[in-house]
Amino acid sequence: MLILDPHEHSTPATGIGRREGHFRPITIWGGIAAAVLVLVAGQAMAMHINALGPLTSLARDYVGIPKSASTSWAGFLLALVGVTNRVRMTALASAVALDLVFVAIRAIEGAKFTVGNGPTIVLTVLAILAAVRWSGVQRETALRTIALGALLILATKVGEIWLDVTAWARPMVLDPYVQVADRALGNPSWLVGQMLEAAPWFESLVRWVYFELPVAAIVVAVWQLRGVTAGRWPRHHLVRTFLTIGLIGPLFYVLFPVVGPILAFGSWGHGMELANVWPDVVPPLPAAPAAMPFDGITPRNCMPSLHTAWALSLFIHTRRGPAWLRWGGVFWLIGTLLATLGLGAHYGVDLVVGAALCLTIESVLRDPERGWDRGRVQVVALGVATFAAVLLAVRYLPLTMANHPFPAGVTILGLFAVLAITFYRTWFAPTHSTS
């Protein structure tokens, strides 16, 4: 269903728009100091557990082999939204040229092909130029979008070491609990996995959708921020939700460590799996589920499903766009949901918890001028309750859910349906204002 948001979502260059766009020096320097502190702490932890640290990974983006080509380019393209067309074209050409130089050097040395050095270097140069040479609105607008692009890159670096920390900190995983509880939803990972096995071309399509979610997010973010050089800043945009989900969601990887069905019950377990049966055979119901040991390398990054949370936030932020953007949001949401299940990365309840997390965070961030009125409090409280209730049920009532799948499944899906309806009525119903 395509939901149109009939309300205006951006601020003009005068009035409240200016107040929102102004940052005090103490805020800017505080943010820089916090970023440096997090990067240094992440590097120290990486050295302790013998993993790739964020500072080392960032250094490779400048002069080595970037770990992720798409992340550097995504952050760079997002930053270019806030500069003039002339600067944009010059920066883009420079980034491409630098990448070609690095590609040629790696080819001569026999190293693997990748890109990503160029945008990182040019993004840094842009930040220095904007801070030192530019002034006024041009400087402030450029620095804001450059900061968003840099945050996207740095958050990815910190997230990578956090995934390593989850494997180091939690040697036992809770997959047996989740798999048993997932019977209440009909074991959707097994069902979708069998469907994709029967259609390899479709599996390739959803796999592409799954891994290229950041690209789709950048398209939406660029569309939302397209007017910033003219002073039209949206009151709320996708990047804020993406970064907040990425900040809060991974905390639960340590509290609720899960590796996924293809690892715990499939061919990717490398001897650590309980049984190599995914997606062909659903494991028999155990007398009592118990935590299982797993290796110290695999991230415990299933609960909640952040791909689901991000794809749902992308869907929500495309509702106010043109038809091509709205249908793109529908396509990426459906494709991501099918991929998270059919590729064996997640169980069904992971998706429910991830979606509840998205709607909760989105409700906290949307329409800042509205304040914490009854509507916002209601949907946030319901989101927190849904999130916590499903997690607690999976951990402490999995056998009850498996032995009574119909009432348990209806309860879980019904609770999320109430949350979704409340979210829609709060933020998208024509009688309410929205961001």
Side-chain angles (χ1 to χ4, degrees):
M1 175 181 179
L2 294 181
I3 305 171
L4 288 172
D5 184 348
H7 302 285
E8 185 64 34
H9 65 281
S10 61
T11 55
T14 59
I16 193 169
R18 284 183 178 173
R19 292 195 298 271
E20 288 180 343
H22 179 70
F23 291 97
R24 297 178 180 178
I26 189 173
T27 303
I28 297 173
W29 288 109
I32 294 174
V36 172
L37 180 62
V38 170
L39 290 173
V40 171
Q43 185 69 27
M45 176 57 71
M47 295 173 63
H48 178 66
I49 65 176
N50 195 29
L52 179 66
L55 292 178
T56 305
S57 181
L58 191 61
R60 292 183 181 181
D61 284 358
Y62 283 103
V63 295
I65 299 178
K67 185 174 182 179
S68 171
S70 59
T71 300
S72 299
W73 272 102
F76 176 64
L77 293 176
L78 179 60
L80 293 184
V81 176
V83 299
T84 62
N85 283 332
R86 180 181 178 182
V87 173
R88 189 177 299 138
M89 296 307 297
T90 302
L92 187 60
S94 301
V96 171
L98 282 172
D99 255 353
L100 290 177
V101 171
F102 276 94
V103 166
I105 293 174
R106 279 192 284 268
I108 294 173
E109 295 177 347
K112 72 173 185 177
F113 171 83
T114 188
V115 295
N117 305 95
T120 304
I121 295 172
V122 176
L123 178 60
T124 305
V125 173
L126 270 180
I128 296 172
L129 284 176
V132 175
R133 299 287 299 275
W134 299 348
S135 62
V137 175
Q138 180 191 21
R139 177 176 181 268
E140 185 169 340
T141 302
L143 286 178
R144 285 185 68 175
T145 56
I146 289 170
L148 289 176
L151 272 176
L152 183 65
I153 296 172
L154 296 180
T156 301
K157 303 298 183 185
V158 174
E160 289 169 354
I161 182 58
W162 181 254
L163 294 181
D164 292 326
V165 169
T166 65
W168 169 78
R170 298 305 302 266
M172 307 292 286
V173 297
L174 302 178
D175 286 74
Y177 292 89
V178 186
Q179 192 280 319
V180 170
D182 222 34
R183 293 169 182 265
L185 300 179
N187 296 294
S189 182
W190 269 255
L191 294 176
V192 181
Q194 292 172 18
M195 180 186 74
L196 295 188
E197 272 194 342
W201 67 270
F202 191 60
E203 178 182 351
S204 299
L205 174 63
V206 299
R207 187 183 297 274
W208 176 78
V209 169
Y210 184 84
F211 286 107
E212 297 304 327
L213 177 62
V215 176
I218 290 300
V219 172
V220 176
V222 168
W223 184 86
Q224 290 181 317
L225 298 171
R226 68 196 183 282
V228 298
T229 54
R232 298 190 303 273
W233 278 91
R235 296 197 298 267
H236 176 48
H237 51 80
L238 180 63
V239 179
R240 296 178 69 207
T241 305
F242 251 61
L243 291 175
T244 307
I245 289 173
L247 175 67
I248 296 175
L251 298 176
F252 294 93
Y253 293 163
V254 173
L255 298 176
F256 209 105
V258 181
V259 294
I262 197 172
L263 288 154
F265 298 96
S267 58
W268 288 16
H270 303 297
M272 302 294 294
E273 69 275 7
L274 286 180
N276 187 359
V277 294
W278 183 90
D280 301 313
V281 179
V282 177
L285 190 65
M292 60 179 284
F294 215 78
D295 62 40
I297 301 174
T298 303
R300 278 60 166 154
N301 60 339
C302 287
M303 181 68 83
S305 168
L306 295 195
H307 261 82
T308 297
W310 283 322
L312 181 56
S313 68
L314 185 147
F315 170 81
I316 292 169
H317 281 265
T318 58
R319 296 312 87 203
R320 63 167 59 104
W324 65 268
L325 196 67
R326 297 197 305 273
W327 282 111
V330 173
F331 170 77
W332 236 272
L333 176 61
I334 295 175
T336 301
L337 294 180
L338 291 175
T340 54
L341 294 171
L343 300 180
H346 290 279
Y347 305 91
V349 289
D350 300 348
L351 276 62
V352 175
V353 176
L357 176 68
C358 168
L359 297 184
T360 305
I361 290 176
E362 184 67 26
S363 295
V364 171
L365 298 176
R366 286 182 74 86
D367 199 359
E369 293 87 3
R370 176 170 174 165
W372 281 85
D373 62 357
R374 180 179 179 182
R376 189 192 301 272
V377 171
Q378 185 179 46
V379 70
V380 170
L382 186 57
V384 172
T386 301
F387 185 94
V390 175
L391 280 182
L392 291 173
V394 170
R395 177 61 180 85
Y396 295 107
L397 299 172
L399 285 176
T400 302
M401 296 171 66
N403 289 322
H404 303 87
F406 183 76
V410 169
T411 300
I412 291 175
L413 297 179
L415 187 59
F416 177 74
V418 172
L419 171 61
I421 293 170
T422 305
F423 178 88
Y424 169 77
R425 288 180 175 175
T426 302
W427 302 114
F428 283 90
T431 56
H432 296 287
S433 64
T434 186
S435 60

